[in-house]
Amino acid sequence: MDFIVNRQDLRQCRFVPDAAGAAAGLGAGRATLRVESFAFTANNVTYGAVGEMIGYWKFFPAEEGWGRIPVWGVAVVEDPGDSGLAAGERIYGYLPMSQRLVVEPARVTARGFVDGAAHRRELPPVYNQYTRLAAEPGYDPRDEDALMLLRPLFATAFLLDDFIADSGFFGATSVVLASASSKTAFSLAYLLAKNRRDACKVIGLTSPGNVAFVERLGCYDRVVPYPDIASLPAAEPIVLVDMAGNHDVTRAVHQHYGANVKYSCQVGLTHWEKGGDTGGLPGAPPTFFFAPSQIEKRTKDWGADGFQARLAAAWRGFLDGTKGWLRVVHGRGPAAVERAYLETLEGRVKPDQGLVLSLQDG
């Protein structure tokens, strides 16, 4: 089965027979992956909220007016066909909320492959790459939950940290992270604190109920609840990184700091119903951060292998240094998946929880 959502009203969702096409038989160069488990986070809500603008609906097509929200997860090769993959091997990458996915493996190596399906060829390459986990350096099956939950978000944070530092912090002395309890935000805060503490302070903005959790993380110099934004020193030049897309918060920060907002970056849209026009705000105009553009730049600068090596080293340090930050909650079956989706959509998942789901029967 496939889990699909209404592209115009994300609250409408249902299950339909799977679109993998396995019943029709595999053609040359195709393989069937059994989607074993996947993480679902607020980041996936962003995929749905900006699906039309960025093209996220194109990866896993569904019936007219409906879409399959992409997730990051682990699959098992169920039928390798003549693809060069091995039956039973574990694969990590971009998946639909489904039981199966048919791929067309191209550029197959010992480390992984690219899905060469025609409808994916013009989409950002980073989302089309799949890792053969047995060949991944340092792979430990016990880390799979963290891999699914945090690795994609950490990669975005890694690119943001690199982009901000490469831009000389835009002349700012503080980086302000809105939605500081989000997984992408605390990944970025960790990197900023570890690599740049002398260059810039890290300030976290969060809801009053999440202040204690964010403070426990230990990677923010200061944690401020949203109602207290006016307590921050307005004369200090800042970079604003907005993980939630809450227009009210963005406006409050811009109006408080004025021209001292030297760069304003929108990363997510987890508060998908609280967006709005951000034109005309004082300070630098809010700009959407598109991670694949920074990947392309650094791949040219460092080479593909060099980029992956730097990311892998940073990931391993983050994973070793942040164990215990999250409590993994597993859910299996359609009811659990739908419940987790709706709770995340409505912002009801606690910040210290990480959801790992499966549509498989057993």
Side-chain angles (χ1 to χ4, degrees):
M1 67 181 69
D2 297 330
F3 180 72
I4 63 174
V5 303
N6 188 315
R7 289 160 60 159
Q8 301 303 315
D9 180 1
L10 297 181
R11 288 191 178 89
Q12 291 188 31
C13 56
R14 58 192 174 96
F15 291 92
V16 296
D18 84 52
L26 291 176
R30 304 174 83 202
T32 299
L33 306 182
R34 179 180 184 268
V35 180
E36 186 171 279
S37 55
F38 53 86
F40 197 83
T41 71
N43 181 58
N44 302 106
V45 174
T46 296
Y47 290 159
V50 300
E52 303 288 355
M53 179 174 66
I54 303 297
Y56 289 120
W57 297 125
K58 297 178 181 179
F59 286 92
F60 309 113
E63 62 191 72
E64 184 69 25
W66 294 76
R68 291 193 283 171
I69 291 181
V71 290
W72 294 89
V74 172
V76 174
V77 178
E78 186 172 70
D79 184 348
D82 62 356
S83 66
L85 303 178
E89 68 173 305
R90 301 178 74 77
I91 304 295
Y92 166 75
Y94 213 47
L95 301 168
M97 298 173 72
S98 303
Q99 289 180 314
R100 286 172 178 78
L101 172 67
V102 172
V103 293
E104 298 181 28
R107 303 204 294 271
V108 178
T109 69
R111 294 285 301 275
F113 64 91
V114 171
D115 186 358
H119 73 279
R120 296 181 68 164
R121 290 173 191 163
E122 301 305 317
L123 298 171
V126 64
Y127 298 116
N128 293 334
Q129 298 172 355
Y130 292 83
T131 300
R132 305 172 83 171
L133 285 173
E136 182 72 0
Y139 166 65
D140 186 334
R142 294 171 297 183
D143 292 336
E144 281 191 3
D145 286 345
L147 181 72
M148 291 182 279
L149 281 165
L150 294 174
R151 179 64 182 259
L153 309 179
F154 178 82
T156 298
F158 174 85
L159 294 163
L160 274 163
D161 175 67
D162 176 63
F163 171 73
I164 292 169
D166 194 45
S167 303
F169 295 89
F170 297 91
T173 56
S174 290
V175 178
V176 177
L177 306 186
S179 194
S181 67
S182 72
K183 297 171 182 63
T184 308
F186 67 61
S187 297
L188 176 57
Y190 166 87
L191 290 168
L192 287 166
K194 182 176 184 294
N195 300 332
R196 327 286 182 195
R197 184 173 293 280
D198 292 339
C200 235
K201 294 196 294 288
V202 186
I203 298 170
L205 303 179
T206 190
S207 61
N210 288 339
V211 168
F213 168 74
V214 176
E215 288 179 337
R216 283 199 303 272
L217 298 175
C219 52
Y220 291 94
D221 293 292
R222 183 176 176 185
V223 180
V224 177
Y226 294 129
D228 295 344
I229 287 173
S231 70
L232 291 165
E236 190 171 84
I238 68 157
V239 166
L240 172 63
V241 182
D242 178 12
M243 303 295 179
N246 186 326
H247 177 63
D248 292 340
V249 172
T250 302
R251 178 171 292 277
V253 173
H254 275 258
Q255 289 180 338
H256 177 64
Y257 282 98
N260 281 320
V261 179
K262 299 303 181 183
Y263 183 76
S264 182
C265 175
Q266 182 175 320
V267 181
L269 199 59
T270 57
H271 290 185
W272 55 289
E273 290 187 308
K274 296 182 180 179
D277 183 12
T278 54
L281 294 177
T287 303
F288 193 82
F289 180 76
F290 189 52
S293 297
Q294 189 68 8
I295 292 174
E296 182 178 359
K297 177 183 186 299
R298 284 315 196 187
T299 299
K300 290 179 180 177
D301 293 341
W302 302 334
D305 290 343
F307 172 78
Q308 291 298 333
R310 292 180 190 222
L311 175 59
W315 163 248
R316 178 50 57 183
F318 173 77
L319 193 60
D320 291 343
T322 59
K323 290 186 183 298
W325 280 14
L326 285 181
R327 176 170 59 89
V328 178
V329 178
H330 293 93
R332 181 174 290 273
V337 168
E338 182 173 356
R339 182 171 58 252
Y341 168 75
L342 292 173
E343 288 180 350
T344 305
L345 192 68
E346 303 298 346
R348 293 198 294 261
V349 178
K350 295 180 180 178
D352 64 344
Q353 289 183 347
L355 304 179
V356 175
L357 309 171
S358 175
L359 280 172
Q360 300 299 336
D361 298 327

